[in-house]
Amino acid sequence: MSSRRRANVATNFRPDVQGLRTVAVMAVVLYHLWPKRITGGFVGVDVFFVISGFLITGHMYRELMANSGLSLVKFWGRRIRRLLPAAFVVLLLSLAAVYLWVPATLWESTARQVGSSALYVQNWVLAADSVDYSALNADATVAQHYWSLSIEEQFYISWPLIMVALLWIVRRLARRVPTLSQSPRATLIAGLTAIGGASLAYSIHETSVNPAAAYFLTPTRVWEFAAGALVALVFLDRQFSGPLATALAWTGLGGILVSALLYSSDTPFPGYTALLPVVGTALLLCCSGTTSTASPAWLLSRRSATFVGDISYAVYLWHWPLIIVVPYALQTDLNWELKLGILGLSILLSWLTKLFIEDPFRKGPWLRGSVRAYSFAAIGMMVVTGLCFGLTTLANAPAHVDPALAASSCYGPGALNPANSCGSVLGTDAPNPTAVEVSNENTNPLYRGCQASYGGSELVSCDLGVPAASARATVAMVGDSHATAWYPAMDVLAKKHGWHVVTYAKASCPVTTALRVLSNEKNPENQSACHAWVLRLNDALKADHSISAIFTASYSSAYQFKSASGDPLKVPAVDGFTQMWAGWQAAGKKVVVFDDVPRTNGQFIPTCLSKNPGNAMNCALPVSQALPPSMNITKAAKQAAKDGVIGVELRREFCDTKWCYPVIGSVIVYRDYSHISAEYSRALVPYVDAQLGALKIGK
């Protein structure tokens, strides 16, 4: 295998790299359009990262050799001219499309992500959201794909600084140790190898312990840029050629295609699995192979391949907003015809974007000079983020309940009672509060900080009802996030009866002696943390003699259960709850259990209602589906009733004999896909209170 210089060293342009961009962007686009077919197309992003590391590092090294230094101001100015005009245009037009066609329930999350995209910190926002329980299962926004562009921009800012710092450190050390190599190339290779190795190790570790956040974090991706950078520095303008190089190049392309077709959302990524597309890309960059049609370089250099590569940046920008907005604008789901139309429209818009936005701003006089370029970047960011604040303001109307409507016997659950003669279960008035107001309860929770997160076993507590000093009794409200949905009702009940309420809740963690199992959970540490939290909570509840009653709730139909080590249970899904409650009763506590609330169609109900104005039943679910047999906490409460456990049964307040409803008596039942809204929680207070009946709590 021999090496040769590229044919067009003068321009440093490689048409095969443009063809490789085509492979990368089409993998991503086809994955987004047909995620069940191109299940691993997300690896196209990793291909882009390697290419960026290769091209940018090679460019900077050549400048370093030619000028004995790097002009960071000019480098960043070129990046601004190349990337920001198209990015800002797509963000602004996406905001306009959202305002025109997307339900207002999604405006706040859209504004947050568009603003963070304009500032190129979107990946950190998504990393935070991936471990934020309130953000899980949220609808995708038009700017979600900017996470990878944010990492790219962070790379463009930090990489030159890293290279300059490495050279400066070696020069300083060389003054003391003259034998130390002062070769810029050797210095950069050694330094970037160390940085890339550390990043890969961190990526493997973080993917194993925190996979959701690891996918978006910048440090878990640095090694991919470093891989491309090392190819540029090791080979400079040379590539391996010959039959063996051709075989290696085909191996590299095969690695990319295999990962795109066989990887899936279940693949731990990035971590070690990202080595396949990354190494594959590196092989294509360093192996030109032969000049015959048998070489991937020949195939990737054809005009049909390089055309999409030339507009790949714009294709990446445009395709995702179209995928998100088109179904709302046309009021229909995406079928094959629409998906093909989106693909074609993405390419058309991208070609026009390159002709009329990218090329004029990059080559024309408008942004010539650093002052103009940096001013444009600052103004563009301010304009986009300013509009995002405006959209957030429009979306954040405060919740308001009409007192006259709330006083009606047909408001809320009363509409399901035939004796009230309400006519429509949904209500004759528009939902009050509105869908937007209810949706805001996810991003602006009433009881912020009153729920422990997934990780750790620390007990997080809040107080509801009356102050402890003046309370007739102290009760506890415990459970997973569905327990927090009952906080508004508990607050009203407690103030009525003179109770002080101590809350203990943890995301996705039912209070049971069994181990809860989530089929889509990639991190076993969360299960261990949940069980440790439950044991700690159990000890705290038993030891607190001021607590006379414990109320509990859980989204038990969302989990599977198994016995904990050393504690075999006949039916873990049910017996784990009853065993826990028996321990509380033995410690002198009364136990009250809320029914599992009915399941929904899986959508955020406020958004579903906004998509279906005047047809709320499109968001309803038949009783047979809404009340599955897996409602284990309800089963357990019925089983434990003989032992004195009080079960609060509320199915008749959610469903009739045929349907479970998304809106009942002009009140939206759910704030998202499963948690009841604060308004419906309060509306259920009389029904909860009636079932407590003769239960005596306190003095």
Side-chain angles (χ1 to χ4, degrees):
M1 185 166 57
S2 61
S3 65
R4 59 179 174 82
R5 289 188 177 274
R6 295 196 296 263
N8 43 359
V9 176
T11 62
N12 300 119
F13 175 75
R14 284 182 54 177
D16 61 308
V17 173
Q18 294 302 87
L20 189 53
R21 290 183 194 269
T22 298
V23 173
V25 76
M26 292 309 297
V28 173
V29 172
L30 294 177
Y31 164 66
H32 286 156
L33 286 170
W34 291 282
K36 294 183 179 180
R37 295 180 180 273
I38 315 297
T39 57
F42 52 81
V43 301
V45 168
D46 306 87
V47 175
F48 274 125
F49 289 165
V50 179
I51 293 173
S52 293
F54 172 77
L55 294 176
I56 294 304
T57 305
H59 173 83
M60 288 190 293
Y61 181 76
R62 285 187 291 272
E63 180 180 340
L64 177 66
M65 292 296 96
N67 303 325
S68 299
L70 291 173
S71 174
L72 299 183
V73 172
K74 289 182 179 179
F75 171 80
W76 290 325
R78 287 193 296 269
R79 293 293 89 201
I80 290 171
R81 287 190 290 272
R82 170 68 181 90
L83 300 174
L84 268 58
F88 287 158
V89 167
V90 173
L91 287 177
L92 290 171
L93 291 177
S94 296
L95 278 176
V98 167
Y99 179 76
L100 290 173
W101 292 301
V102 174
T105 54
L106 300 177
W107 287 2
E108 183 176 7
S109 59
T110 295
R112 179 168 175 261
Q113 291 196 16
V114 170
S116 62
S117 296
L119 300 174
Y120 289 100
V121 293
Q122 166 74 325
N123 64 308
W124 294 102
V125 170
L126 290 178
D129 285 350
S130 70
V131 293
D132 178 1
Y133 192 84
S134 66
L136 295 180
N137 297 96
D139 293 85
T141 75
V142 292
Q144 196 159 297
H145 63 314
Y146 270 70
W147 73 269
S148 63
L149 302 178
S150 296
I151 291 180
E152 289 255 10
E153 286 298 323
Q154 293 161 29
F155 164 73
Y156 295 140
I157 292 172
S158 62
W159 208 245
L161 296 174
I162 291 172
M163 293 180 68
V164 169
L166 287 173
L167 295 174
W168 181 84
I169 290 171
V170 170
R171 286 169 184 161
R172 295 277 296 188
L173 292 176
R175 294 177 184 176
R176 299 181 181 180
V177 187
T179 58
L180 189 67
S181 172
Q182 297 186 47
S183 165
R185 183 181 174 205
T187 298
L188 293 174
I189 289 174
L192 298 183
T193 297
I195 291 171
S199 169
L200 176 58
Y202 176 75
S203 181
I204 293 172
H205 172 266
E206 198 67 10
T207 300
S208 67
V209 301
N210 192 11
Y215 189 84
F216 300 108
L217 294 174
T218 304
T220 64
R221 303 284 185 161
V222 167
W223 68 276
E224 300 178 8
F225 295 98
L230 290 173
V231 172
L233 292 171
V234 170
F235 291 93
L236 296 179
D237 292 323
R238 293 180 174 83
Q239 291 177 272
F240 287 125
S241 60
L244 179 56
T246 298
L248 289 174
W250 279 116
T251 301
L253 183 58
I256 295 171
L257 297 179
V258 166
S259 58
L261 293 173
L262 298 185
Y263 283 6
S264 70
S265 58
D266 294 328
T267 303
F269 204 86
Y272 67 89
T273 58
L275 283 165
L276 183 57
V278 168
V279 172
T281 306
L283 286 174
L284 283 166
L285 292 174
C286 69
C287 295
S288 63
T290 65
T291 58
S292 70
T293 56
S295 170
W298 181 91
L299 178 66
L300 295 174
S301 299
R302 298 309 90 196
R303 183 57 186 152
S304 57
T306 61
F307 170 75
V308 175
D310 291 342
I311 60 173
S312 59
Y313 176 58
V315 171
Y316 188 84
L317 291 176
W318 279 114
H319 83 282
W320 184 252
L322 292 173
I323 290 173
I324 297 299
V325 172
V326 166
Y328 292 117
L330 300 182
Q331 291 293 297
T332 185
D333 293 331
L334 292 179
N335 54 31
W336 270 82
E337 291 79 6
L338 281 176
K339 289 180 179 181
L340 289 173
I342 288 174
L343 179 59
L345 184 56
S346 298
I347 292 174
L348 175 61
L349 289 174
S350 301
W351 176 63
L352 294 174
T353 300
K354 185 175 188 303
L355 287 180
F356 298 107
I357 297 174
E358 291 187 63
D359 288 347
F361 276 94
R362 182 163 57 95
K363 301 175 182 178
W366 299 328
L367 298 184
R368 187 172 297 161
S370 299
V371 173
R372 289 185 182 183
Y374 285 90
S375 298
F376 171 80
I379 293 170
M381 290 178 178
M382 286 190 291
V383 168
V384 175
T385 53
L387 290 173
C388 289
F389 278 116
L391 192 65
T392 300
T393 301
L394 290 174
N396 262 328
H400 171 72
V401 180
D402 182 351
L405 179 61
S408 167
S409 61
C410 292
Y411 181 77
L416 278 163
N417 187 345
N420 291 334
S421 302
C422 298
S424 171
V425 171
L426 300 173
T428 55
D429 296 290
N432 185 312
T434 67
V436 174
E437 293 169 339
V438 172
S439 178
N440 287 341
E441 294 173 11
N442 289 301
T443 52
N444 299 296
L446 297 176
Y447 305 95
R448 188 179 295 277
C450 295
Q451 175 180 275
S453 62
Y454 288 109
S457 59
E458 179 184 0
L459 299 181
V460 174
S461 177
C462 287
D463 300 295
L464 306 175
V466 302
S470 59
R472 294 178 57 249
T474 295
V475 304
M477 180 72 212
V478 305
D480 59 15
S481 63
H482 274 220
T484 69
W486 288 108
Y487 285 0
M490 288 299 298
D491 199 24
V492 174
L493 273 172
K495 288 173 180 175
K496 175 183 177 181
H497 293 291
W499 302 338
H500 174 67
V501 182
V502 182
T503 71
Y504 295 98
K506 180 176 172 63
S508 187
C509 189
V511 182
T512 168
T513 60
L515 293 175
R516 69 103 177 97
V517 178
L518 283 173
S519 59
N520 63 346
E521 186 170 61
K522 299 178 181 179
N523 184 359
E525 291 187 6
N526 286 344
Q527 183 188 81
S528 300
C530 172
H531 193 58
W533 178 84
V534 168
L535 296 178
R536 180 176 290 186
L537 171 62
N538 189 38
D539 290 341
L541 292 173
K542 289 180 178 179
D544 191 339
H545 299 296
S546 69
I547 295 175
S548 55
I550 301 173
F551 291 72
T552 186
S554 168
Y555 190 25
S556 67
S557 65
Y559 315 108
Q560 295 176 322
F561 297 87
K562 65 180 182 180
S563 297
S565 177
D567 186 16
L569 299 170
K570 184 176 181 181
V571 185
V574 174
D575 297 346
F577 287 110
T578 57
Q579 185 182 67
M580 179 66 70
W581 303 337
W584 295 345
Q585 289 177 306
K589 322 290 184 183
K590 297 181 175 69
V591 179
V592 180
V593 181
F594 285 93
D595 256 356
D596 235 331
V597 300
R599 297 183 70 90
T600 70
N601 62 7
Q603 298 184 67
F604 270 43
I605 293 301
T607 300
C608 182
L609 294 170
S610 297
K611 290 186 204 175
N612 297 275
N615 196 4
M617 290 304 293
N618 280 355
C619 308
L621 207 62
V623 167
S624 59
Q625 298 177 42
L627 302 176
S630 59
M631 290 183 155
N632 297 298
I633 198 170
T634 301
K635 289 181 185 177
K638 289 180 178 179
Q639 181 175 305
K642 66 182 186 300
D643 299 317
V645 170
I646 304 297
V648 179
E649 300 181 8
L650 295 168
R651 292 189 178 186
R652 289 180 298 178
E653 282 66 51
F654 287 89
C655 315
D656 57 22
T657 57
K658 294 182 178 179
W659 293 96
C660 292
Y661 294 89
V663 179
I664 299 175
S666 299
V667 182
I668 296 174
V669 178
Y670 302 89
R671 61 176 168 83
D672 55 16
Y673 65 98
S674 71
H675 301 85
I676 58 174
S677 68
E679 292 72 31
Y680 206 72
S681 180
R682 295 190 193 99
L684 288 167
V685 165
Y687 303 88
V688 175
D689 205 16
Q691 292 197 46
L692 295 180
L695 179 67
K696 301 299 181 184
I697 299 177
K699 303 171 186 175

